[in-house]
Each structure stands twice: as structure tokens, then as C-alpha cells.
Amino acid sequence: MKALITGITGQDGSYLAELLLEKGYEVIGMVRRASTESFERINHIKNKITFAQADLLDQLSIYRIIENHHPDEIYNLAAQSFVPTSWNQPVLTGEFNALGVTKVLEAIRQVDRKIKFYQASSSEMFGKVQEVPQNEKTSFYPRSPYGVTKVYGHWITVNYRESYELHASSGILFNHESPRRGLEFVTRKITDGVARIKYGLADKLALGNLDAKRDWGFAGDYVKAMWLMLQLDKPQDFVIATGETHSVEDFVRMAFEHVDLDFKDYVTIDPRFVRPAEVDMLLGDPSLAKNVLKWEPSVSFEGLVKMMVDADLEKLAPKE
């Protein structure tokens, strides 16, 4: 089997590449031409991956990469994935997250309709939630340019599936974290901050809304669900979540407690980090994924927080 992963250098792309290599896949990683290339998350498997240059903004490059490599499966994980940036660069976010999905689907339609396609949808599509918990039938009400673009990507995938009989599925993934999470995301900002404070490298951690609630899981678990979706005979969309919700404050408290500190002594609230339109509460119902895919998360919320804090403690530990 041969798989093409867009966004292979990201958190999810790195875990998915590991999983597929373990399953004996040939893995093609789509990378953008950049003056500085960051392969930090996949350095340990870099020599096992075939890299090919293409860009979601360039239809012809996507067409060529599919035509040249003829993958059996395509996992579209590339995106402008940071919500605050989507407010500053809404048009670019739309180009990548909405039109980029269309370009990949259109290339599949033209080159080989037997290719199975996975689209990375997001719980941010639910935004101002219309029901709790959220499942595959819950109405979308996105609260950021990022969320809006992900709704477009989701529905264009449904449209191509139904119009051209493609094996195209969307995973509506709730927040999933790991030690490989980017430092701009609040969870990693917290665990990195905790490690810095513990080692005396910082004395404060500035955050935004501590009351926001999220359904947090481990990225390594969630990529297994992506793969399982493309093994089904018929394509289908799934909510991938833990079914538990915790506040940002819960995450902060647990992270500081893990190093025997009280977060109230170190955390400050900075209005700059509060979103123009907040998503207050996300809680996913993974029942369908558990029943159909036989998927279960293996890492608990507490286990995830400790894993991330320990990884940052190790990364920042004073050198002997």
C-alpha cells in the first residue's frame, strides 16, 4: 500500500507516518518548497519517507504528485491550523483549508477515482455549540475564520463523495495534543511554561481564557482513527473524541501540580490571548467511532498532561 500525506511535518502527520510505516506502507510526504525546511518531528523516520514537493495553493502541483506517485490513500492534514492566525490571515486560511481541499479532491477525480481520501475536519466547526455533546449530526456554527474554512472543507468532501462516488471521509477530530504540538497552541504553551518556571528560566505564564472547555486526547491515538476510516468498505464521517471535557484551568492546574507548584502563583491573564469570538465548550460523542471503527483512546487526560510536561522538562533540562 502507498499513502500520500499532506502536512507530514506537522504533529498529526508525524504520528500518522509512523503508524503507516509500521503497517508496511510506502509513505509519500508532500512538502512545500521553503527557504527553511523543518523536519524536526519526523527526523527519526526521514530516511524511510519519499518526499515530493507540491503546494495546496497550486492545483497543477497536486495533480502531478498524484499522477507521479499513484497513492492508494491520501490523508489531507495540511492546513493553516492555528485559530488566532485565522483572524489575522483569513483569506490565506481559506485558500489552504477550503480551496486546498477542493484542489486535492478535483485532482483525485481527474487522475484516479479509486484513491481513498481522508479530510481532517475539526471540532471548531461546531463553535457555538447547538447541542452537548456534539456528534456527526450536530449542526455547525463556526466562530472563527478557521472554523468556517473547515466547514467548507468538510462539505466539499461530502459533495465529491456523493457526486463522484469517491471513497472520501472526514474525521471531525476534537482537540488532540502531544509533546510534538506546536508552541503556539495553548496546551504546549502551558507545558513548556511549566518546565521553564520549574527550572527558573521564567517566572510567569501569560494565558487567555481559562474557562474555555475542550475535549482533549492524544494525537497518537487519533491518527489510528484516520487509518481505520479508510479501511471501511464505504466512506463515512466520524467524530473522534474522548467524550470528556476539561477547562483550560484544569489543564493548567494539573500541569503545575505535576511539578509540585501552584498555578495561581505564576499564571497571569493577558487580554491579547482572548479570541474575538470564543468557543466556550466542546465535548465530542465518539460512540459511532467506537461502534463502527472499534476505536478507543488509550491515553487519559491526566496521562496526556503528564506526558507533555515530562517531555518539556526533558527538553529544557540543564545540560551537565
Side-chain angles (χ1 to χ4, degrees), residues 19 118 136 172-176 215-229 232 238-244 284-299:
L19 176 72
Y118 171 84
E136 292 79 6
I172 306 173
L173 270 57
F174 279 65
N175 293 62
H176 47 289
D215 184 327
W216 276 299
F218 172 51
D221 286 337
Y222 285 40
V223 299
K224 291 174 188 168
M226 300 176 187
W227 177 77
L228 287 168
M229 287 169 63
L232 295 176
F238 291 91
V239 162
I240 307 300
T242 67
E244 295 179 14
D285 175 5
S287 302
L288 190 67
K290 290 183 177 184
N291 292 333
V292 176
L293 301 176
K294 309 303 178 193
W295 176 84
E296 291 276 354
S298 69
V299 178

Side-chain angles (χ1 to χ4, degrees), residues 30-69:
M30 187 179 110
V31 289
R32 299 170 65 202
R33 175 74 184 94
S35 54
T36 56
E37 294 179 331
S38 175
F39 292 96
E40 180 186 354
R41 296 182 180 94
I42 53 173
N43 265 334
H44 60 297
I45 52 172
K46 196 175 167 186
N47 62 346
K48 299 176 182 174
I49 297 168
T50 301
F51 294 99
Q53 284 187 0
D55 195 311
L56 286 183
L57 302 185
D58 181 5
Q59 175 79 63
L60 189 58
S61 69
I62 297 169
Y63 183 93
R64 281 185 177 145
I65 198 173
I66 295 174
E67 197 172 43
N68 291 342
H69 293 280

Side-chain angles (χ1 to χ4, degrees), residues 79-97:
Q80 192 301 96
S81 60
F82 190 45
V83 174
T85 297
S86 77
W87 291 102
N88 296 326
Q89 296 182 290
V91 176
L92 183 69
T93 301
E95 293 279 0
F96 276 119
N97 300 1

Side-chain angles (χ1 to χ4, degrees), residues 189-304:
K189 182 179 178 182
I190 292 165
T191 60
D192 175 77
V194 165
R196 289 180 186 278
I197 289 168
K198 184 65 176 176
Y199 289 134
L201 303 172
D203 54 11
K204 292 293 177 187
L205 174 61
L207 297 171
N209 180 12
L210 297 187
D211 296 325
K213 291 183 171 66
R214 295 291 183 271
D215 184 327
W216 276 299
F218 172 51
D221 286 337
Y222 285 40
V223 299
K224 291 174 188 168
M226 300 176 187
W227 177 77
L228 287 168
M229 287 169 63
L230 295 201
Q231 309 319 303
L232 295 176
D233 292 334
K234 290 188 176 177
Q236 193 174 348
D237 303 326
F238 291 91
V239 162
I240 307 300
T242 67
E244 295 179 14
T245 191
H246 300 273
S247 67
V248 175
E249 185 173 310
D250 292 336
F251 197 108
V252 172
R253 182 188 300 107
M254 199 170 285
F256 275 94
E257 283 177 354
H258 189 48
V259 295
D260 301 316
L261 296 175
D262 185 341
F263 80 95
K264 292 174 184 170
D265 296 332
Y266 303 99
V267 172
T268 60
I269 304 303
D270 188 330
R272 289 178 304 157
F273 300 130
V274 177
R275 297 181 184 183
E278 184 57 84
V279 173
D280 297 316
M281 158 84 163
L282 291 174
L283 173 61
D285 175 5
S287 302
L288 190 67
K290 290 183 177 184
N291 292 333
V292 176
L293 301 176
K294 309 303 178 193
W295 176 84
E296 291 276 354
S298 69
V299 178
S300 67
F301 175 70
E302 185 176 3
L304 176 66

